[in-house]
Amino acid sequence: MSRFEGRSGPIRLGMVGGGQGALIGSVHRVAARLDGDYALVAGALSASPERAQASGVDAGLAADRIYDDFTAMAQREARLKDGIEAVAIVTPNHLHLPVAREFLKRGIHVICDKPLTGTLADAKKLQAAAEKSEALFVLTHTYSGYPMVREAQARVASGELGDIRLVQVEYAQDWLAEAPAPDNKQAAWRTDPARSGVGGAIADIGTHAWHLARFITGLQPEALAADLQSFVPGRTLDDNAHVMMRFAGGARGMLWSSQVAAGQENALRIRVYGTRAGLEWEQEHPNQLSITPLGGARCVITPGLAGNTDASARLVRVPAGHPEGYFEAFANLYREAASAIRAHRTGAALPEGVVFPSVADGVEGVAFVEACVRSSARDAKWVTL
Amino acid sequence: MSRFEGRSGPIRLGMVGGGQGALIGSVHRVAARLDGDYALVAGALSASPERAQASGVDAGLAADRIYDDFTAMAQREARLKDGIEAVAIVTPNHLHLPVAREFLKRGIHVICDKPLTGTLADAKKLQAAAEKSEALFVLTHTYSGYPMVREAQARVASGELGDIRLVQVEYAQDWLAEAPAPDNKQAAWRTDPARSGVGGAIADIGTHAWHLARFITGLQPEALAADLQSFVPGRTLDDNAHVMMRFAGGARGMLWSSQVAAGQENALRIRVYGTRAGLEWEQEHPNQLSITPLGGARCVITPGLAGNTDASARLVRVPAGHPEGYFEAFANLYREAASAIRAHRTGAALPEGVVFPSVADGVEGVAFVEACVRSSARDAKWVTL
Amino acid sequence: MSRFEGRSGPIRLGMVGGGQGALIGSVHRVAARLDGDYALVAGALSASPERAQASGVDAGLAADRIYDDFTAMAQREARLKDGIEAVAIVTPNHLHLPVAREFLKRGIHVICDKPLTGTLADAKKLQAAAEKSEALFVLTHTYSGYPMVREAQARVASGELGDIRLVQVEYAQDWLAEAPAPDNKQAAWRTDPARSGVGGAIADIGTHAWHLARFITGLQPEALAADLQSFVPGRTLDDNAHVMMRFAGGARGMLWSSQVAAGQENALRIRVYGTRAGLEWEQEHPNQLSITPLGGARCVITPGLAGNTDASARLVRVPAGHPEGYFEAFANLYREAASAIRAHRTGAALPEGVVFPSVADGVEGVAFVEACVRSSARDAKWVTL
Amino acid sequence: MSRFEGRSGPIRLGMVGGGQGALIGSVHRVAARLDGDYALVAGALSASPERAQASGVDAGLAADRIYDDFTAMAQREARLKDGIEAVAIVTPNHLHLPVAREFLKRGIHVICDKPLTGTLADAKKLQAAAEKSEALFVLTHTYSGYPMVREAQARVASGELGDIRLVQVEYAQDWLAEAPAPDNKQAAWRTDPARSGVGGAIADIGTHAWHLARFITGLQPEALAADLQSFVPGRTLDDNAHVMMRFAGGARGMLWSSQVAAGQENALRIRVYGTRAGLEWEQEHPNQLSITPLGGARCVITPGLAGNTDASARLVRVPAGHPEGYFEAFANLYREAASAIRAHRTGAALPEGVVFPSVADGVEGVAFVEACVRSSARDAKWVTL
């Protein structure tokens, strides 16, 4: 029986992190708002009291629901009659564990940004906390919210590509190609081992690429060999990674993750090749999924076509040709989470088709990061996963 | 002095039309929600009492703010202390005038879907009503909300293209390529002269193409010659139009509007050629603006580049490479409207850079439709605008 | 019985025009060489004796086969035992008639550049001469030599698109966007009515677009309305044209031809829409033919796919993915001509599948040009074809 | 002093291999013909006397210049007054050494298909033979003949990209995704170690990718780690390879070579990232070179633009927008070879700008193949180059 049984209407949402000047916090807020499933009612948007206060006002929070301490927030919200039912965690990586733990242990659902944590040890603790809690845990690997990614997953699962042989996945950006300005908060914590964890780019975006490959293909990883670099002088963590991968059953792959690829904006791209067909998807053109049968013409699937599977059809809001983008993909995860949270109120089963990245996906992502770091330290020796 | 002086927080919004099964109503609701500037609090979402009631509940409206009569809604909301400050009109075209009139005369701002009306006579009446009212009137020509359209406009205005010689604009869809199913409500009213007005596709999407051309180039129209067709048997209104255009100063253009172009989804596309450079933009890939100087390389402007003008920069929510799409473009118009509405509360000037399509743009669009119909009836003779 | 009965080996080819500094002459020479079907053995490459001599040496001609007078060349070659079997005419438009006549009347096959002539009167005379001659006449509308254009034609003919409703065709360049340098020979004659004829860009490239539309769709033209412009000060002939078209059976179309579209290189592009599907092809990406069924995914046909028709398969020289371009398309016409010339030697029927633009196509092209000029002079009134 | 001093006119060319049913032989013949620099006059097109005879007749060779034994051909041609000046070798890999040796030792220039040989031992012998000979040796790494590849090379060399950090290169095909038909001669020798050598796809196309990366960047390789697979049951040689690379100065790269990537035709693609900009080029769209400065717009360089370097400008035959493809790239190498051969006649220096792959490039390519095989056999351990 859920402690939120009987609730109806928009899900009351809290947020930790995401104060003024933060990026991902505002993205979560838009995503939560887009379909009207949530109402943001509480937040510890910053650890600085002044910033927490100002950010809370900006976000339209009532004065008594603005906190500067996430533990205090968890404690009080858990006691309120109209307290939050879910919390979005949008802090730097190292805080995911302590924050999530406070809410999970009080039965408040967690929607957490990725990567799960900065270290595998933390990830396992968070997994344990999530498993002990009756609350749900949702990890926002945004890109699995795109309808054409869902379509790709469904078509691989249906056997349209045959047996998968190859996965080529990459995530290339260039915003860390030079030493960032000192006041660039996004860059500061992502290049700081104390806050980012053991991985740099491989944690920040490599985990997205890894999750995307796993999500679409369902292949089980066996081993990887990684060569990590830090191109920018003075940088401790990796800003570029080359990875070779081996999957159960013989499939192989390559993964490239980079934040120093000059001219690349947010170029997450995956290609999968099976015995019968190949597919390709790029985040910067998310409404096109190319599938090419062996010896046939490349066909470009777009959202809303009659022949699409329900896996994508259920997530499309507008007729074909009206591009949905990053916010809608993010909102799809929030929508999935809302479906799960509503079902949870009454103990109902998850509605058919509802899918979101879990704490286990998160643990696997951090395990991937640590494996890359370990392999690279051993001169790209194969490391099992 | 505005009757809403002293209001703060989200703008209380009402909606007329957009009940269950409608498309554009839900788009307006998402757009209004996305940036948190509005709260939808009242609606006459259908003229059918049952549907109005059910749709209102779906939309999360309080019971006493659900209406089935837009006049009653206007009257009561105008009297409420926390009554709506703005209304979104998302009905078929023929109702835009009567609905808008009720709200405008009570000083409630109107955000109205396009085309402005079904006939030029109605359009002029609506313009008169808007001009007489102290309230604002915003017409949702969505596509002018895309950052790269704003960028295009700014660059043409700056002289980067030189003197404009040519405009090639088109809007091609295929959803009316066959006789629609009887229960397709979107199709039913758009192909019905009593509700759509004098134009079919030329009104529904041709006006978007026309507005886009006018918005980006600022060229003053002089005359047009149009050849309209109704390809689908039994259809009264046009489903395809070919138009040649002449602008003041000697520029020329072509416009193609079609809802029977098999394989086209929502293919709004514009190309502008000047003495120094040409540009191209396509709605289905809205985050790319191509500019090619005479004799030079084609360069692809994307949102968020350092060299972009403030005209686009002010509308971008996320870093480069995170695609924003149709909803964000729509939300940009709502954001512009919110800025205007907030300034209006205190009688302040419109904040710098805020731009949205006006009632005058709407009148011009309907004049364009009538000119096309008139020219086509005279075997594509030139008709002045 | 052909006067060349008994010949074997490469076809002995002559050329008129195409001396030093000319462009299209060298293109014809490469095209003739590419498949080894021809040997260039004679030429009147220029009317200037010095230039004719120097150009002939450059082209590797024997001294006694270099002429500076095309009539003398025709007379002598017709008498030589190993005289030329075919002549390529690559002069400015106004010379096509007098040159072709000399060779046709001596039974020498003519491969002539487009447009057929500068005026319709000349075109009809040339048609009469060709019809009176036993020799073949081939017009090099290059773009019908591309395999994917052949594929498009075959698929339209097979009914894959259903009944054709719409044709959108355009040919945009920018090399005449400014007044050309005085020594630009290509530009000089093309902008000179005495050499180009009644049309400027509409003759030079508009006829290509027109022929492409006719070739792919097979639609019979009924009427057109044209608005021609000369944007560059001092220019007599058109450099931009907007044309609306009506075809038998109700299909409609638009054609845009421009040599002042800043940033466009050689952008010939056609789109055809039927009741069942639409197609698109662009010359600058000639190995991709997009076909989109109504409600289905866009599929990109490339040369060499298993499902392609023989219409394209017979013209492809290399495996899929090895791009063939402009020269290969041109060479395909030369190859078709060679097949016809060889069959002609023995009076055999044209081999199955061999297709090339004829003198009748050329007459129709010039008729199109004159109709455009006539319509434009009458303020874009409809003119029958 | 060259033994061909005093020769003029087209270069007399012989060919070994390339008989009926062969692919690459006909490509070489078209390439040699395209610019008129060569005359094919002799050939040992097959080791089978009947096939050699029939193929020679097809190729238009005189009866006494048709051979079925390359040694006999070399001996006799070397004695003929009008004997061949150069020979094209288009046999399977294992014959490159014995054939080339016969011609090199007689001072006949060699134009040899890639890879240089099947083994590094053979490659070194061939290099020795080439170095001992006064004749030229040209290796046809086709893709370095594309103008936009030359442009890329020139721009990297000029420093436009800054210091190179990353190279991502791949060559993906799918024509060996299944066990080939028994009569597929192309497939038969390429999958046979006795004829292909130690590498399969990595030799056939991986060397192209490797050469392209080396050609464009000029980076000096240090080490690689490779994971090779044979996906098709029963196949001995690799049909897919994943390679990580380290270059002098700290640059890194990845190379993927595959002949089992379902849906890929001939997808050679390279991306290079430096401290100041990135570039991208794809063989299937060879007339577009994208360059994106850090933080700037992607610009698409095409052949013939005013700002292009002479490195590409000198190889372009037609105005911008007229696509040149695979044959023209190949012909560019033949043109470069012709320039070198003509200079060689008189002992003149190589004309400025003339560039072609050499025997040293060939040795390096085979060394790359062997390093990949060696690394893969040691579980992807780093191997120095």
Side-chain angles (χ1 to χ4, degrees), chain A residues 261-316:
Chain A
Q264 296 289 2
E265 297 184 340
N266 197 43
L268 172 62
R269 180 186 183 218
I270 188 165
R271 293 171 294 172
V272 179
Y273 302 95
T275 47
R276 296 171 56 192
L279 69 74
E280 177 167 358
W281 179 82
E282 295 185 63
Q283 193 272 152
E284 295 186 0
H285 300 279
N287 297 301
Q288 303 191 315
L289 169 66
S290 289
I291 300 193
T292 315
L294 188 59
R298 179 168 65 87
C299 293
V300 184
I301 317 287
T302 51
L305 295 184
N308 288 1
T309 67
D310 191 54
S312 72
R314 55 184 287 281
L315 295 181
V316 173

Side-chain angles (χ1 to χ4, degrees), chain D residues 236-248:
Chain D
T236 317
L237 294 170
D238 68 279
D239 50 23
N240 189 81
H242 294 165
V243 187
M244 302 194 297
M245 304 179 293
R246 292 176 178 167
F247 298 94

Side-chain angles (χ1 to χ4, degrees), chain C residues 262-275:
Chain C
Q264 296 287 3
E265 297 185 339
N266 197 42
L268 173 62
R269 179 186 184 218
I270 188 164
R271 293 171 293 172
V272 179
Y273 302 96
T275 47

Side-chain angles (χ1 to χ4, degrees), chain A residues 48-363:
Chain A
S48 137
E50 300 76 38
R51 184 184 294 270
Q53 182 61 30
S55 304
V57 170
D58 278 3
L61 302 182
D64 65 336
R65 307 293 281 274
I66 298 176
Y67 306 84
D68 53 21
D69 173 341
F70 61 82
T71 309
M73 171 176 163
Q75 290 168 341
R76 180 156 178 270
E77 290 292 325
R79 286 194 305 261
L80 287 177
K81 200 180 146 110
D82 64 347
I84 59 171
E85 190 169 355
V87 68
I89 303 178
V90 293
T91 63
N93 305 341
H94 69 303
L95 292 174
H96 292 178
L97 170 62
V99 176
R101 207 149 38 181
E102 291 302 320
F103 291 88
L104 287 171
K105 74 181 178 199
R106 293 176 175 89
I108 294 170
H109 307 300
V110 169
I111 300 173
C112 183
D113 211 77
K114 41 49 60 185
L116 185 63
T117 56
T119 65
L120 186 54
D122 272 9
K124 287 179 175 166
K125 287 179 200 160
L126 184 38
Q127 184 173 33
E131 285 169 358
K132 209 163 70 182
S133 170
E134 70 149 5
L136 297 163
F137 190 94
V138 176
L139 189 72
T140 53
H141 270 308
T142 329
Y143 305 105
S144 65
Y146 275 114
M148 290 299 95
V149 168
R150 300 289 179 104
E151 187 71 24
Q153 194 275 340
R155 289 178 182 246
V156 169
S158 78
E160 187 171 329
L161 271 69
D163 296 330
I164 302 307
R165 288 172 165 170
L166 294 169
V167 185
Q168 302 286 345
V169 64
E170 61 189 43
Y171 199 148
Q173 302 178 329
D174 70 3
W175 69 291
L176 292 177
E178 298 182 336
D183 64 343
N184 184 334
K185 296 177 65 168
Q186 313 302 325
W189 74 256
R190 280 181 177 80
T191 54
D192 172 12
R195 288 176 284 173
S196 177
V198 299
I202 196 70
D204 190 32
I205 58 174
T207 52
H208 272 312
W210 171 257
H211 181 259
L212 188 67
R214 289 274 293 118
F215 179 79
I216 290 179
T217 68
L219 289 171
Q220 293 303 322
E222 284 193 342
L224 60 77
D227 192 27
L228 272 56
Q229 299 88 38
S230 302
F231 279 106
V232 173
R235 187 165 290 161
T236 317
L237 294 170
D238 68 279
D239 51 24
N240 190 80
H242 295 165
V243 187
M244 302 195 298
M245 303 178 293
R246 293 177 177 166
F247 298 94
R252 305 288 174 105
M254 293 174 101
L255 181 150
W256 171 44
S257 132
S258 185
Q259 291 179 323
V260 298
Q264 296 289 2
E265 297 184 340
N266 197 43
L268 172 62
R269 180 186 183 218
I270 188 165
R271 293 171 294 172
V272 179
Y273 302 95
T275 47
R276 296 171 56 192
L279 69 74
E280 177 167 358
W281 179 82
E282 295 185 63
Q283 193 272 152
E284 295 186 0
H285 300 279
N287 297 301
Q288 303 191 315
L289 169 66
S290 289
I291 300 193
T292 315
L294 188 59
R298 179 168 65 87
C299 293
V300 184
I301 317 287
T302 51
L305 295 184
N308 288 1
T309 67
D310 191 54
S312 72
R314 55 184 287 281
L315 295 181
V316 173
R317 294 170 184 81
V318 267
H322 297 74
E324 296 191 73
Y326 177 75
F327 284 113
E328 288 73 35
F330 220 115
N332 283 340
L333 292 190
Y334 266 86
R335 209 155 88 166
E336 300 288 58
S339 296
I341 290 170
R342 289 199 177 105
H344 191 270
R345 287 171 179 171
T346 62
L350 202 62
E352 199 185 324
V354 171
V355 174
F356 51 81
S358 67
V359 74
D361 293 312
V363 173

Side-chain angles (χ1 to χ4, degrees), chain B residues 73-302:
Chain B
M73 171 175 162
Q75 290 168 340
R76 182 156 177 270
E77 290 292 326
R79 285 194 308 261
L80 288 176
K81 199 180 147 123
D82 63 348
I84 59 172
E85 190 169 356
V87 68
I89 303 179
V90 294
T91 64
N93 305 342
H94 70 302
L95 293 173
H96 292 177
L97 171 61
V99 176
R101 207 149 39 183
E102 291 302 320
F103 291 88
L104 286 171
K105 74 182 178 200
R106 291 175 175 89
I108 294 170
H109 307 300
V110 170
I111 299 172
C112 183
D113 212 79
K114 42 47 60 186
L116 185 63
T117 57
T119 65
L120 185 54
D122 272 11
K124 287 179 175 166
K125 287 179 199 159
L126 184 38
Q127 184 173 33
E131 286 170 356
K132 212 163 69 183
S133 170
E134 70 149 5
L136 298 163
F137 189 95
V138 177
L139 190 72
T140 53
H141 271 307
T142 328
Y143 304 106
S144 64
Y146 275 115
M148 290 299 95
V149 168
R150 299 288 178 105
E151 186 71 24
Q153 194 275 339
R155 289 178 182 246
V156 169
S158 78
E160 186 170 331
L161 273 69
D163 296 329
I164 303 306
R165 287 171 165 171
L166 295 169
V167 185
Q168 301 287 345
V169 64
E170 61 190 43
Y171 199 149
Q173 300 178 331
D174 71 2
W175 68 291
L176 292 177
E178 299 181 335
D183 64 343
N184 184 334
K185 297 176 66 168
Q186 313 301 326
W189 75 255
R190 280 181 176 81
T191 55
D192 172 12
R195 289 176 283 174
S196 178
V198 299
I202 195 72
D204 190 32
I205 58 175
T207 52
H208 272 312
W210 172 257
H211 181 259
L212 187 67
R214 290 272 294 117
F215 180 79
I216 290 179
T217 69
L219 289 172
Q220 292 303 319
E222 283 193 342
L224 60 77
D227 192 28
L228 272 55
Q229 299 88 38
S230 302
F231 278 106
V232 173
R235 187 165 291 161
T236 317
L237 294 170
D238 68 278
D239 51 23
N240 189 81
H242 294 165
V243 187
M244 302 194 298
M245 304 178 293
R246 293 175 177 167
F247 297 94
R252 304 290 172 103
M254 294 175 99
L255 181 150
W256 171 43
S257 132
S258 186
Q259 291 179 323
V260 298
Q264 295 288 3
E265 297 185 339
N266 197 43
L268 173 62
R269 180 187 184 217
I270 188 164
R271 292 171 294 172
V272 179
Y273 302 95
T275 48
R276 297 172 54 193
L279 70 74
E280 177 167 359
W281 179 82
E282 295 185 63
Q283 193 272 152
E284 295 186 1
H285 300 280
N287 297 301
Q288 303 190 316
L289 170 66
S290 290
I291 299 193
T292 316
L294 188 58
R298 179 168 65 86
C299 294
V300 184
I301 316 288
T302 52

Side-chain angles (χ1 to χ4, degrees), chain D residues 85-161:
Chain D
E85 191 170 353
V87 67
I89 302 179
V90 292
T91 63
N93 305 343
H94 69 302
L95 292 173
H96 290 178
L97 169 62
V99 175
R101 205 149 41 182
E102 291 301 319
F103 291 88
L104 287 171
K105 74 182 179 199
R106 290 175 175 90
I108 295 170
H109 308 301
V110 169
I111 300 171
C112 184
D113 212 78
K114 43 47 61 186
L116 184 64
T117 56
T119 65
L120 185 54
D122 273 10
K124 287 179 175 166
K125 287 178 199 161
L126 184 38
Q127 183 173 33
E131 285 170 357
K132 209 163 71 183
S133 170
E134 70 149 5
L136 298 162
F137 189 94
V138 177
L139 190 72
T140 54
H141 270 309
T142 327
Y143 304 106
S144 63
Y146 275 113
M148 290 300 93
V149 169
R150 299 288 179 105
E151 186 71 23
Q153 195 275 337
R155 289 178 182 246
V156 170
S158 77
E160 186 170 331
L161 272 69

